[in-house]
Coordinates of all heavy atoms in Angstrom, one line a residue:
M1 N 108.4 118.3 121.4 CA 107.9 118.5 120.0 C 108.8 119.5 119.4 O 109.2 120.5 120.0 CB 106.5 119.0 120.0 CG 105.9 119.1 118.6 SD 104.3 119.9 118.5 CE 103.3 118.7 119.3
T2 N 109.1 119.3 118.1 CA 110.0 120.2 117.4 C 109.2 121.1 116.6 O 108.2 120.7 115.9 CB 110.9 119.4 116.4 OG1 111.6 118.4 117.2 CG2 111.9 120.3 115.7
K3 N 109.5 122.4 116.6 CA 108.8 123.4 115.9 C 109.6 123.7 114.6 O 110.8 124.0 114.7 CB 108.6 124.6 116.8 CG 107.6 125.6 116.2 CD 107.3 126.6 117.3 CE 106.2 127.6 116.7 NZ 105.9 128.6 117.7
V4 N 108.9 123.7 113.5 CA 109.6 124.0 112.2 C 109.1 125.4 111.8 O 107.9 125.6 111.7 CB 109.3 122.9 111.1 CG1 110.0 123.3 109.8 CG2 109.8 121.6 111.6
V5 N 110.1 126.2 111.5 CA 109.7 127.5 111.0 C 110.1 127.6 109.5 O 111.2 127.3 109.1 CB 110.5 128.6 111.8 CG1 110.2 130.0 111.3 CG2 110.2 128.5 113.3
V6 N 109.1 128.0 108.7 CA 109.4 128.1 107.3 C 108.9 129.5 106.9 O 107.8 129.9 107.2 CB 108.5 127.0 106.5 CG1 108.8 127.2 105.0 CG2 108.9 125.6 107.0
D7 N 109.8 130.2 106.2 CA 109.4 131.5 105.8 C 108.6 131.5 104.5 O 108.4 130.4 103.9 CB 110.7 132.5 105.6 CG 111.5 132.0 104.4 OD1 111.1 131.3 103.5 OD2 112.7 132.4 104.4
E8 N 108.0 132.6 104.2 CA 107.0 132.6 103.1 C 107.7 132.2 101.7 O 107.0 131.6 100.9 CB 106.4 134.1 102.9 CG 105.5 134.4 104.0 CD 104.9 135.7 103.9 OE1 104.6 136.2 102.8 OE2 104.6 136.4 104.9
V9 N 108.9 132.6 101.5 CA 109.6 132.2 100.3 C 109.8 130.7 100.2 O 109.4 130.1 99.1 CB 111.0 132.9 100.2 CG1 111.8 132.4 99.0 CG2 110.8 134.4 100.1
E10 N 110.2 130.1 101.3 CA 110.4 128.6 101.3 C 109.0 128.0 101.1 O 108.9 127.0 100.3 CB 111.0 128.1 102.6 CG 112.4 128.4 102.7 CD 113.0 127.9 104.0 OE1 112.4 128.3 105.1 OE2 113.9 127.1 104.0
W11 N 108.0 128.5 101.7 CA 106.6 128.0 101.6 C 106.1 128.0 100.2 O 105.6 127.1 99.6 CB 105.7 128.7 102.6 CG 104.3 128.1 102.6 CD1 103.2 128.6 102.1 CD2 104.0 126.9 103.3 NE1 102.1 127.8 102.3 CE2 102.6 126.7 103.0 CE3 104.6 125.9 104.0 CZ2 101.9 125.6 103.5 CZ3 104.0 124.8 104.5 CH2 102.6 124.7 104.2
G12 N 106.4 129.2 99.6 CA 106.0 129.4 98.2 C 106.7 128.4 97.2 O 106.1 127.9 96.3
Q13 N 108.0 128.2 97.5 CA 108.8 127.3 96.7 C 108.3 125.9 96.8 O 108.2 125.1 95.8 CB 110.3 127.4 97.0 CG 110.9 128.7 96.5 CD 112.4 128.9 97.1 OE1 112.8 128.2 98.0 NE2 113.1 129.8 96.4
M14 N 108.0 125.5 98.1 CA 107.5 124.1 98.3 C 106.2 123.9 97.6 O 105.9 122.9 97.0 CB 107.4 123.9 99.8 CG 108.7 123.7 100.5 SD 108.7 123.2 102.2 CE 107.3 124.0 102.9
N15 N 105.3 124.9 97.7 CA 104.0 124.8 97.0 C 104.2 124.7 95.5 O 103.5 124.0 94.8 CB 103.1 126.0 97.4 CG 102.4 125.8 98.7 OD1 102.2 124.7 99.2 ND2 102.0 126.9 99.3
H16 N 105.1 125.5 95.0 CA 105.4 125.5 93.5 C 105.9 124.1 93.1 O 105.5 123.5 92.1 CB 106.4 126.6 93.2 CG 106.8 126.5 91.7 ND1 106.0 127.0 90.7 CD2 108.0 126.1 91.2 CE1 106.6 126.8 89.6 NE2 107.8 126.2 89.8
T17 N 106.8 123.6 93.9 CA 107.4 122.2 93.6 C 106.3 121.2 93.7 O 106.2 120.3 92.8 CB 108.5 121.9 94.6 OG1 109.5 122.9 94.5 CG2 109.1 120.5 94.4
I18 N 105.4 121.2 94.7 CA 104.3 120.3 94.9 C 103.4 120.4 93.7 O 103.0 119.4 93.1 CB 103.5 120.5 96.2 CG1 104.4 120.1 97.4 CG2 102.2 119.8 96.2 CD1 103.9 120.5 98.7
S19 N 103.1 121.6 93.3 CA 102.2 121.8 92.1 C 102.8 121.3 90.9 O 102.1 120.6 90.0 CB 101.9 123.3 92.0 OG 101.1 123.6 90.8
K20 N 104.1 121.5 90.7 CA 104.8 121.0 89.5 C 104.8 119.5 89.5 O 104.6 118.9 88.4 CB 106.2 121.6 89.5 CG 107.0 121.2 88.3 CD 108.4 121.9 88.4 CE 109.3 121.4 87.2 NZ 110.6 121.9 87.3
L21 N 105.1 118.9 90.6 CA 105.1 117.4 90.7 C 103.7 116.8 90.4 O 103.6 115.8 89.8 CB 105.6 117.0 92.0 CG 107.1 117.2 92.3 CD1 107.5 116.9 93.7 CD2 108.0 116.4 91.3
A22 N 102.7 117.5 90.9 CA 101.3 117.0 90.7 C 101.0 117.1 89.2 O 100.4 116.2 88.7 CB 100.3 117.9 91.5
K23 N 101.4 118.1 88.5 CA 101.2 118.2 87.1 C 101.9 117.2 86.3 O 101.4 116.5 85.4 CB 101.6 119.6 86.6 CG 100.6 120.7 86.9 CD 101.1 122.1 86.5 CE 100.3 123.2 87.0 NZ 100.8 124.5 86.6
E24 N 103.2 116.9 86.7 CA 104.0 115.9 86.1 C 103.3 114.5 86.3 O 103.3 113.7 85.4 CB 105.4 115.9 86.6 CG 106.2 117.0 86.1 CD 107.6 117.1 86.7 OE1 108.0 116.1 87.4 OE2 108.3 118.1 86.6
N25 N 102.8 114.3 87.5 CA 102.2 113.0 87.8 C 100.9 112.8 87.0 O 100.7 111.7 86.4 CB 101.8 113.0 89.3 CG 101.3 111.6 89.7 OD1 101.8 110.6 89.3 ND2 100.3 111.7 90.6
K26 N 100.1 113.9 86.8 CA 98.9 113.8 86.0 C 99.3 113.5 84.5 O 98.7 112.7 83.9 CB 98.1 115.1 86.1 CG 96.8 115.1 85.3 CD 96.1 116.4 85.2 CE 94.9 116.4 84.4 NZ 94.9 115.8 83.1
Q27 N 100.4 114.2 84.0 CA 100.8 113.9 82.7 C 101.2 112.5 82.5 O 100.9 111.9 81.5 CB 102.0 114.9 82.3 CG 102.4 114.8 80.9 CD 101.3 115.2 79.9 OE1 100.7 116.2 80.1 NE2 101.1 114.4 78.9
L28 N 102.0 111.9 83.4 CA 102.4 110.5 83.4 C 101.2 109.6 83.3 O 101.2 108.6 82.6 CB 103.3 110.2 84.5 CG 104.7 110.8 84.5 CD1 105.5 110.6 85.8 CD2 105.5 110.2 83.3
K29 N 100.2 109.9 84.2 CA 99.0 109.1 84.2 C 98.3 109.2 82.8 O 97.8 108.2 82.3 CB 98.1 109.5 85.3 CG 98.5 109.1 86.7 CD 97.6 109.5 87.8 CE 98.0 109.1 89.1 NZ 97.1 109.6 90.2
D30 N 98.2 110.4 82.3 CA 97.5 110.6 81.0 C 98.3 109.8 79.9 O 97.7 109.2 79.1 CB 97.5 112.1 80.6 CG 96.5 112.8 81.5 OD1 95.7 112.2 82.2 OD2 96.5 114.1 81.4
N31 N 99.6 109.9 79.9 CA 100.5 109.2 79.0 C 100.3 107.7 79.1 O 100.2 107.0 78.1 CB 101.9 109.5 79.1 CG 102.2 110.9 78.7 OD1 101.4 111.6 78.0 ND2 103.4 111.4 79.1
T32 N 100.2 107.2 80.3 CA 99.9 105.8 80.5 C 98.6 105.3 80.0 O 98.5 104.3 79.3 CB 100.0 105.4 82.0 OG1 101.3 105.8 82.5 CG2 99.7 104.0 82.3
R33 N 97.6 106.2 80.2 CA 96.2 105.9 79.6 C 96.3 105.9 78.1 O 95.7 105.0 77.4 CB 95.2 106.9 80.1 CG 94.7 106.7 81.5 CD 93.5 107.6 81.8 NE 93.6 107.9 83.2 CZ 93.9 109.1 83.7 NH1 94.1 110.1 82.9 NH2 94.0 109.3 85.0
I34 N 97.0 106.8 77.5 CA 97.1 106.9 76.1 C 97.8 105.7 75.5 O 97.4 105.0 74.6 CB 97.9 108.2 75.6 CG1 97.0 109.4 75.9 CG2 98.3 108.1 74.2 CD1 97.7 110.7 75.8
D35 N 98.9 105.3 76.2 CA 99.7 104.1 75.8 C 98.8 102.8 75.9 O 98.8 102.0 75.0 CB 100.9 103.9 76.6 CG 102.0 104.9 76.4 OD1 101.9 105.6 75.4 OD2 102.9 105.0 77.2
T36 N 98.0 102.7 76.9 CA 97.1 101.6 77.1 C 96.1 101.6 76.0 O 95.8 100.5 75.4 CB 96.4 101.7 78.5 OG1 97.4 101.6 79.5 CG2 95.5 100.5 78.7
L37 N 95.5 102.7 75.7 CA 94.5 102.8 74.6 C 95.1 102.5 73.3 O 94.5 101.8 72.5 CB 93.8 104.2 74.6 CG 92.9 104.5 75.8 CD1 92.5 105.9 75.8 CD2 91.7 103.6 75.8
E38 N 96.3 103.0 73.0 CA 97.0 102.7 71.7 C 97.2 101.2 71.6 O 97.1 100.6 70.5 CB 98.2 103.5 71.6 CG 98.0 105.0 71.3 CD 99.3 105.8 71.3 OE1 100.3 105.3 71.8 OE2 99.2 106.9 70.8
C39 N 97.6 100.6 72.7 CA 97.8 99.1 72.7 C 96.5 98.4 72.4 O 96.5 97.4 71.6 CB 98.4 98.7 74.0 SG 98.8 96.9 74.1
E40 N 95.4 98.8 73.0 CA 94.1 98.2 72.8 C 93.7 98.4 71.3 O 93.1 97.4 70.7 CB 93.0 98.8 73.8 CG 93.2 98.3 75.2 CD 93.1 96.8 75.4 OE1 92.2 96.2 74.8 OE2 94.0 96.3 76.1
I41 N 93.9 99.5 70.8 CA 93.6 99.8 69.4 C 94.4 98.9 68.5 O 93.8 98.3 67.5 CB 93.8 101.3 69.0 CG1 92.8 102.2 69.7 CG2 93.8 101.5 67.5 CD1 93.1 103.7 69.7
A42 N 95.7 98.7 68.8 CA 96.5 97.8 68.0 C 96.0 96.4 68.0 O 95.9 95.7 67.0 CB 97.9 97.9 68.4
K43 N 95.6 95.9 69.2 CA 95.0 94.6 69.3 C 93.8 94.4 68.5 O 93.5 93.4 67.8 CB 94.7 94.3 70.8 CG 95.9 94.0 71.7 CD 95.5 93.8 73.1 CE 96.7 93.7 74.0 NZ 96.2 93.5 75.4
L44 N 92.9 95.4 68.6 CA 91.6 95.4 67.8 C 91.9 95.4 66.3 O 91.2 94.8 65.6 CB 90.7 96.5 68.2 CG 90.1 96.4 69.7 CD1 89.4 97.7 70.0 CD2 89.2 95.2 69.8
E45 N 92.9 96.2 65.9 CA 93.2 96.2 64.5 C 93.7 94.8 64.0 O 93.4 94.4 62.9 CB 94.3 97.3 64.2 CG 93.7 98.7 64.3 CD 94.8 99.8 64.2 OE1 96.0 99.5 64.4 OE2 94.4 100.9 63.9
I46 N 94.5 94.2 64.8 CA 95.0 92.8 64.5 C 93.8 91.9 64.4 O 93.6 91.1 63.4 CB 96.0 92.3 65.5 CG1 97.3 93.1 65.4 CG2 96.2 90.8 65.4 CD1 98.3 92.9 66.5
Q47 N 92.9 91.9 65.4 CA 91.7 91.1 65.4 C 90.8 91.4 64.1 O 90.3 90.4 63.5 CB 90.8 91.3 66.6 CG 91.5 90.7 67.9 CD 90.6 91.0 69.1 OE1 89.7 91.9 69.1 NE2 90.9 90.4 70.2
N48 N 90.7 92.6 63.8 CA 90.0 93.0 62.6 C 90.6 92.4 61.3 O 89.9 91.9 60.5 CB 89.9 94.6 62.5 CG 89.0 95.0 61.4 OD1 88.0 94.4 61.1 ND2 89.4 96.1 60.8
R49 N 91.9 92.5 61.2 CA 92.6 91.9 60.0 C 92.4 90.4 60.0 O 92.1 89.8 58.9 CB 94.1 92.2 60.0 CG 94.4 93.6 59.5 CD 95.9 93.8 59.4 NE 96.2 94.9 60.2 CZ 97.1 95.0 61.1 NH1 97.9 94.0 61.3 NH2 97.3 96.1 61.9
E50 N 92.5 89.7 61.2 CA 92.3 88.3 61.2 C 90.8 87.9 60.8 O 90.6 86.9 60.1 CB 92.5 87.8 62.6 CG 94.0 87.8 63.0 CD 94.3 87.5 64.5 OE1 93.3 87.5 65.3 OE2 95.4 87.3 64.8
L51 N 89.9 88.7 61.2 CA 88.5 88.4 60.9 C 88.3 88.7 59.4 O 87.5 87.9 58.7 CB 87.5 89.3 61.7 CG 87.4 88.9 63.2 CD1 86.6 90.0 63.9 CD2 86.8 87.5 63.3
K52 N 88.9 89.7 58.8 CA 88.8 89.9 57.4 C 89.3 88.7 56.6 O 88.7 88.3 55.6 CB 89.5 91.2 57.0 CG 88.7 92.4 57.4 CD 89.4 93.7 56.9 CE 88.6 94.9 57.3 NZ 89.3 96.2 56.9
L53 N 90.5 88.2 57.0 CA 91.1 87.0 56.4 C 90.1 85.8 56.5 O 90.0 85.0 55.5 CB 92.4 86.7 57.0 CG 93.5 87.7 56.6 CD1 94.8 87.4 57.4 CD2 93.8 87.8 55.2
K54 N 89.5 85.6 57.7 CA 88.6 84.5 57.9 C 87.4 84.6 57.0 O 87.0 83.7 56.4 CB 88.2 84.5 59.3 CG 87.4 83.2 59.7 CD 87.3 83.1 61.2 CE 86.8 81.7 61.5 NZ 86.9 81.4 62.9
I55 N 86.9 85.9 56.8 CA 85.8 86.1 55.9 C 86.2 85.8 54.5 O 85.4 85.1 53.7 CB 85.3 87.6 56.0 CG1 84.6 87.8 57.4 CG2 84.4 88.0 54.9 CD1 84.3 89.3 57.7
Q56 N 87.4 86.2 54.1 CA 87.8 85.8 52.7 C 87.9 84.3 52.5 O 87.5 83.8 51.5 CB 89.2 86.5 52.5 CG 89.2 88.0 52.3 CD 90.6 88.6 52.1 OE1 91.6 87.9 52.3 NE2 90.6 89.9 51.8
D57 N 88.5 83.6 53.5 CA 88.5 82.2 53.4 C 87.1 81.5 53.3 O 86.9 80.6 52.5 CB 89.3 81.6 54.7 CG 90.7 81.9 54.7 OD1 91.3 82.2 53.6 OD2 91.4 81.7 55.8
L58 N 86.2 82.0 54.1 CA 84.8 81.5 54.1 C 84.2 81.8 52.7 O 83.4 81.0 52.2 CB 84.0 82.1 55.2 CG 84.4 81.6 56.6 CD1 83.7 82.3 57.7 CD2 84.2 80.1 56.8
Q59 N 84.5 83.0 52.2 CA 83.9 83.4 50.9 C 84.5 82.4 49.8 O 83.7 82.0 49.0 CB 84.3 84.8 50.6 CG 83.6 85.3 49.3 CD 82.1 85.4 49.4 OE1 81.5 85.8 50.4 NE2 81.4 84.9 48.4
R60 N 85.8 82.1 49.9 CA 86.4 81.2 48.9 C 85.7 79.8 49.0 O 85.4 79.2 48.0 CB 87.9 81.1 49.1 CG 88.6 82.3 48.5 CD 90.1 82.0 48.5 NE 90.8 83.3 48.7 CZ 91.4 83.7 49.8 NH1 91.3 82.9 50.9 NH2 91.9 84.9 49.9
E61 N 85.5 79.4 50.3 CA 84.9 78.1 50.5 C 83.5 78.1 49.9 O 83.1 77.1 49.3 CB 84.9 77.8 52.0 CG 84.4 76.4 52.4 CD 84.5 76.1 53.9 OE1 85.3 76.8 54.6 OE2 83.8 75.2 54.3
K62 N 82.7 79.1 50.2 CA 81.4 79.2 49.7 C 81.4 79.2 48.1 O 80.6 78.5 47.5 CB 80.7 80.5 50.2 CG 79.4 80.8 49.6 CD 78.8 82.1 50.1 CE 77.7 82.5 49.2 NZ 77.7 83.9 48.8
D63 N 82.3 80.0 47.5 CA 82.4 80.0 46.1 C 82.7 78.6 45.5 O 82.2 78.2 44.5 CB 83.5 81.0 45.6 CG 83.1 82.5 45.9 OD1 81.9 82.7 46.2 OD2 84.0 83.3 45.9
G64 N 83.6 77.9 46.2 CA 83.9 76.5 45.8 C 82.7 75.6 45.9 O 82.5 74.8 45.0
Y65 N 81.9 75.7 46.9 CA 80.7 74.9 47.0 C 79.7 75.3 45.9 O 79.0 74.4 45.3 CB 80.0 75.0 48.4 CG 80.8 74.3 49.5 CD1 81.0 75.0 50.7 CD2 81.2 73.0 49.4 CE1 81.7 74.4 51.8 CE2 81.9 72.4 50.4 CZ 82.1 73.1 51.6 OH 82.8 72.4 52.6
E66 N 79.6 76.6 45.6 CA 78.7 77.0 44.6 C 79.1 76.4 43.2 O 78.3 76.0 42.4 CB 78.5 78.5 44.5 CG 77.8 79.1 45.7 CD 77.8 80.6 45.8 OE1 78.5 81.2 45.0 OE2 77.0 81.1 46.6
M67 N 80.4 76.5 43.0 CA 81.0 76.0 41.7 C 80.7 74.5 41.6 O 80.4 74.0 40.6 CB 82.4 76.3 41.6 CG 83.0 76.1 40.3 SD 82.2 77.1 39.1 CE 83.5 78.2 38.7
E68 N 80.9 73.8 42.7 CA 80.7 72.3 42.8 C 79.3 72.0 42.5 O 78.9 71.1 41.8 CB 81.2 71.8 44.1 CG 81.2 70.3 44.3 CD 81.7 69.9 45.6 OE1 82.7 70.4 46.1 OE2 81.1 69.0 46.2
A69 N 78.4 72.8 43.1 CA 76.9 72.6 42.9 C 76.6 72.8 41.4 O 75.7 72.1 40.8 CB 76.1 73.5 43.8
I70 N 77.2 73.8 40.8 CA 76.9 74.1 39.4 C 77.4 72.9 38.5 O 76.7 72.5 37.6 CB 77.5 75.4 38.9 CG1 76.8 76.6 39.6 CG2 77.5 75.6 37.4 CD1 77.5 77.9 39.4
L71 N 78.6 72.4 38.8 CA 79.1 71.3 38.0 C 78.3 70.0 38.2 O 78.3 69.2 37.3 CB 80.6 71.1 38.4 CG 81.5 72.2 38.1 CD1 82.9 71.9 38.7 CD2 81.6 72.4 36.6
N72 N 77.7 69.8 39.4 CA 76.9 68.6 39.6 C 75.5 68.7 39.0 O 74.8 67.7 39.0 CB 76.8 68.4 41.1 CG 78.1 67.9 41.7 OD1 78.9 67.4 41.0 ND2 78.3 68.2 43.0
V73 N 75.1 69.8 38.5 CA 73.7 70.0 37.9 C 73.7 69.5 36.5 O 74.4 69.2 35.8 CB 73.3 71.4 37.9 CG1 72.0 71.6 37.2 CG2 73.2 71.9 39.4

C-alpha cells in the first residue's frame, strides 16, 4: 500500500479548490435552470400570442355571423 503524505498547506489548497469547483458547479446548474425557465417562458409567450390571435379570429367570425343575422331579419 502506498502512503501519501500531504502537508497542511497542500490540504488547505485542495479544500479551497474543491470548494471553488463546487461553487462553480452550483452556479452552472443554477444558470442551466434559469436558461430552461427562460425557454419555457418564451414558449408560453408564443402560445399566449397564438391564443390571442385565435380569439381575434373567433371574434371576427362571431361578428360576421351577428351581422349576417341582422341582415337576414
Side-chain angles (χ1 to χ4, degrees):
M1 183 189 293
T2 304
K3 191 171 185 179
V4 177
V5 178
V6 179
D7 66 22
E8 288 182 37
V9 173
E10 285 179 305
W11 186 254
Q13 288 173 342
M14 289 187 324
N15 278 335
H16 176 73
T17 301
I18 290 169
S19 176
K20 185 178 173 183
L21 290 172
K23 286 178 187 177
E24 288 176 12
N25 187 41
K26 183 185 179 313
Q27 185 63 49
L28 288 171
K29 286 181 180 179
D30 289 347
N31 289 347
T32 299
R33 280 189 215 110
I34 290 168
D35 289 345
T36 300
L37 290 173
E38 287 174 344
C39 183
E40 289 300 316
I41 289 169
K43 287 179 187 177
L44 290 171
E45 287 173 343
I46 290 169
Q47 288 176 346
N48 187 33
R49 277 186 242 129
E50 290 171 345
L51 288 172
K52 284 180 179 180
L53 291 172
K54 190 168 191 166
I55 289 169
Q56 288 175 352
D57 288 345
L58 291 171
Q59 185 64 47
R60 280 191 214 102
E61 187 176 338
K62 177 185 165 223
D63 292 347
Y65 287 133
E66 288 175 351
M67 190 60 109
E68 189 177 313
I70 291 170
L71 295 174
N72 288 334
V73 171

